[in-house]
Amino acid sequence: MDLRISEDREITIPQELLDRSGLQPYDEVDITLTGKGLLISKSPVERDAIESVYGCWGSGGNTDVFMDEVRGR
């Protein structure tokens, strides 16, 4: 598959390749120079520990109600 680099140094990846690779719009990728050319791979997602649990208890309620439930009151 031949692709062309634009004047702005951009490459459009065909939808078929995106579907097969699992890449989505705004995913970050790593580009590595190898002996055979360039290797494009999806960057691992690094999430902040707080961000990863934010909202896991849903919305509503408050901490006093939650603490009473945890303490069995």
Side-chain angles (χ1 to χ4, degrees):
M1 180 173 296
D2 292 328
L3 302 175
R4 179 169 292 163
I5 300 173
S6 75
E7 206 172 296
D8 294 328
R9 291 181 261 156
E10 297 174 332
I11 299 172
T12 300
I13 301 173
Q15 187 65 47
E16 176 188 350
L17 292 178
L18 290 174
D19 292 343
R20 291 175 61 190
S21 67
L23 290 171
Q24 299 292 319
Y26 305 107
D27 280 349
E28 293 186 16
V29 296
D30 290 322
I31 300 178
T32 307
L33 182 59
T34 70
K36 294 185 176 186
L38 297 176
L39 172 66
I40 301 173
S41 57
K42 188 174 181 177
S43 297
V45 177
E46 295 180 24
R47 295 180 64 190
D48 180 83
I50 300 298
E51 187 178 312
S52 66
V53 296
Y54 180 80
C56 67
W57 284 324
S59 60
N62 61 46
T63 55
D64 293 329
V65 172
F66 173 75
M67 293 307 294
D68 286 343
E69 289 175 4
V70 169
R71 293 178 179 146
R73 296 184 187 165

